[in-house]
Amino acid sequence: MNVKQMVGEKAAEYVKDGMVVGLGTGSTAYYLVEALGKRVEKGLTITGVTTSTRTKEQAETLNIPLVDLNDVAKIDLTIDGSDEVSENYQGIKGGGGALLFEKLVANNSEKVIWIVDDSKMVKTLGTFPLPVEIVAFGYKQLFRLFESKNLHPELRLNESKKNYVTDGGHYIIDLHLESIENPHELATWLDGLTGVVEHGLFLDMVNTVIVGHENAVEVLDVR
Ligand code: 5RP
């Protein structure tokens, strides 16, 4: 069994009968959704809230009952992957382009679990490029602003080399920062820019990180 599957299956154990569960996006969350699909087949009663078209399609194939974020009072637990987790448990997400819906779902969840392999545990955030989701209209203006601030922006492209478009209909600029010394300061600045819809800094959010090592799974209860 690969490490992503190990952490996905471990996280599925946290899901209990009757829960409303936020279903993350990405190659690790894939295994969580597969594991939940198997449990649903055996009688587990849950309702899922998906964070992307990809995850929605997967969950539908597995007959996991789904509901729109609009139609839940709250989500009991969201389980998602992450691109980086720092030593103080701040995260970068959005490598898979689903950051906006992922943050909306996480912000409305009682508990958040991230599932990662140990290569994603870092001292300081920033080696992984920081995704910033922006409105398409006039996007080059924000690109130039990021350039002028030496934030090393790169417009994300799809496989056809066209501008990548998120499920929300926006573009993504990835900032190649190498190291983010003050994530809160950067998040506040990005939050204040017109045209920025969301960014991939997921701060003070995660409750439990499940880390996969080659032969073991480690559970870190953070807050
Ligand atoms: C998608 C995400 C993913 O959770 C993140 O990119 C991790 O993905 P993977 O498990 O494939 O490495 O934030 O927007």
Side-chain angles (χ1 to χ4, degrees), residues 15-223:
V15 175
K16 307 291 177 216
D17 224 33
M19 277 187 170
V20 178
V21 186
L23 303 173
T25 295
S27 58
T28 318
Y30 169 87
Y31 288 105
L32 161 81
V33 178
E34 288 296 306
L36 288 179
K38 285 198 187 110
R39 289 187 58 199
V40 165
E41 205 183 321
K42 289 184 190 146
L44 177 76
T45 308
I46 55 164
T47 308
V49 178
T50 56
T51 53
S52 63
T53 309
R54 258 170 297 160
T55 301
K56 185 169 186 280
E57 287 169 356
Q58 184 192 3
E60 281 172 350
T61 312
L62 297 164
N63 298 314
I64 299 175
L66 299 178
V67 67
D68 194 277
L69 179 58
N70 283 317
D71 299 327
V72 290
K74 68 171 172 62
I75 296 165
D76 295 299
L77 169 65
T78 285
I79 304 171
D80 203 347
S82 186
D83 297 302
E84 272 187 352
V85 182
S86 71
E87 64 181 3
N88 47 2
Y89 307 107
Q90 311 295 11
I92 287 183
K93 286 182 47 54
L99 62 152
L100 174 61
F101 291 3
E102 289 174 334
K103 201 178 273 189
L104 279 165
V105 169
N107 281 349
N108 287 288
S109 301
E110 299 257 291
K111 286 214 172 294
V112 174
I113 295 177
W114 287 342
I115 45 178
V116 294
D117 64 69
D118 55 12
S119 69
K120 292 176 170 176
M121 301 302 289
V122 298
K123 188 170 182 330
T124 309
L125 296 177
T127 304
F128 193 91
L130 176 66
V132 183
E133 184 159 346
I134 55 165
V135 294
F137 180 77
Y139 70 94
K140 288 186 183 170
Q141 296 299 344
L142 273 175
F143 188 93
R144 288 183 198 121
L145 174 72
F146 293 147
E147 256 180 346
S148 75
K149 303 274 183 199
N150 287 323
L151 299 177
H152 307 286
E154 184 186 6
L155 183 68
R156 196 179 294 188
L157 303 178
N158 63 23
E159 283 152 10
S160 317
K161 304 282 177 230
K162 298 269 186 336
N163 291 2
Y164 178 90
V165 180
T166 67
D167 283 346
H170 309 118
Y171 294 164
I172 289 182
I173 290 176
D174 292 299
L175 302 179
H176 293 259
L177 302 171
E178 304 296 341
S179 175
I180 301 172
E181 297 310 321
N182 193 334
H184 288 89
E185 194 178 44
L186 178 59
T188 303
W189 180 70
L190 289 168
D191 286 337
L193 293 177
T194 304
V196 168
V197 181
E198 198 43 83
H199 54 77
L201 286 166
F202 282 52
L203 306 180
D204 307 319
M205 179 182 288
V206 73
N207 300 101
T208 300
V209 185
I210 301 181
V211 187
H213 304 280
E214 207 177 305
N215 292 312
V217 168
E218 183 186 10
V219 176
L220 303 168
D221 287 316
V222 174
R223 57 175 67 82

